[in-house]
Amino acid sequence: MPDGTSKAPATDWHDGQISCSAPIAVKSKPPVPSVNVIYRKTVQVDCIYASVGLMSATRPSSEATQAVALVGELRSVFSRLKRRLREQADVGDFNDAQKSVLLRLERNGPATVSMLARAEGVRPQSMRITVAALEAAGAVSGKADPEDGRQTFVSLTPSFVKVLKTGRLAREDWLFRAIQAQLTPRERKQLAAAVKLLGKLADF
């Protein structure tokens, strides 16, 4: 089997004469790689570098990892705090859509079903169902527009406004007592700074 070497006759010198003896092994030059081989090798190297670069680009940085962990902690703390605040005053068994309407009416005042539907981004039919449930619970009531009897403005009932105020005072009182009991003066300053940062998140 060829092994990259060839046999050449050995030469002896005797009195200026050259004579041949047993052949000796002469190492031949390695074959020159073809253009196709060089191209394939180059492509393989480029692919390796591209793969390494892609892995580096997709590998999450330490800052991103910390941000993801912070999101989980914030969500957990907010859920616990919300549950504790809700325990202080129960204003009624309302779903999220109903609570959103109640808060909007408290903040912006009376509104028609169409106005509420646009503000909440839902269909008027869906808003009518929500308002009807709130009316049945005694939280809102409708009153015809004195200028246009075809329209009805929905507003919070006086009794429910009292419930909201009482519940808010109870929650604020609990939170005040929790801050006083659980946090040192230095931690209260840290909390005040954190509230400003949370406000920036809420404005995003």
Side-chain angles (χ1 to χ4, degrees):
M1 178 180 293
D3 57 357
T5 61
S6 61
K7 301 296 183 177
T11 55
D12 294 330
W13 292 82
H14 298 287
D15 298 329
Q17 301 293 325
I18 301 177
S19 63
C20 295
S21 60
I24 61 175
V26 178
K27 199 75 172 180
S28 61
K29 293 182 179 180
V32 178
S34 65
V35 175
N36 290 336
V37 173
I38 296 176
Y39 175 77
R40 288 199 301 270
K41 295 295 183 182
T42 303
V43 171
Q44 290 175 357
V45 172
D46 289 343
C47 289
I48 292 174
Y49 278 112
S51 299
V52 172
L54 180 62
M55 291 173 61
S56 300
T58 56
R59 185 182 299 115
S61 64
S62 59
E63 292 184 359
T65 303
Q66 293 175 359
V68 171
L70 180 59
V71 168
E73 292 178 2
L74 284 174
R75 180 180 55 79
S76 176
V77 171
F78 286 159
S79 297
R80 291 165 52 200
L81 186 58
K82 182 178 180 180
R83 183 172 60 253
R84 294 291 288 118
L85 287 170
R86 189 166 54 242
E87 291 172 354
Q88 309 311 311
D90 185 12
V91 297
D93 187 17
F94 301 111
N95 59 36
D96 291 339
Q98 294 167 348
K99 290 177 182 178
S100 182
V101 171
L102 292 173
L103 291 175
R104 187 174 297 279
L105 290 174
E106 182 188 23
R107 182 171 60 249
N108 300 333
T112 65
V113 170
S114 298
M115 294 168 60
L116 291 172
R118 286 194 298 270
E120 295 292 322
V122 300
R123 296 180 302 174
Q125 294 86 343
S126 299
M127 182 54 64
R128 289 193 185 96
I129 295 174
T130 299
V131 170
L134 293 175
E135 285 182 325
V140 302
S141 61
K143 185 177 181 181
D145 184 357
E147 298 180 0
D148 186 356
R150 295 172 300 176
Q151 293 194 87
T152 299
F153 277 84
V154 179
S155 61
L156 300 179
T157 61
S159 60
F160 190 73
V161 170
K162 184 178 180 180
V163 170
L164 285 179
K165 290 182 178 180
T166 302
R168 185 171 292 110
L169 288 175
R171 291 189 293 271
E172 290 178 353
D173 178 69
W174 174 86
L175 191 56
F176 173 80
R177 289 184 289 106
I179 291 174
Q180 294 290 326
Q182 296 292 97
L183 303 181
T184 65
R186 182 179 180 181
E187 289 173 333
R188 293 171 199 164
K189 292 181 180 180
Q190 293 174 342
L191 178 60
V195 168
K196 295 180 181 179
L197 297 179
L198 294 174
K200 295 178 67 174
L201 295 180
D203 294 336
F204 178 71

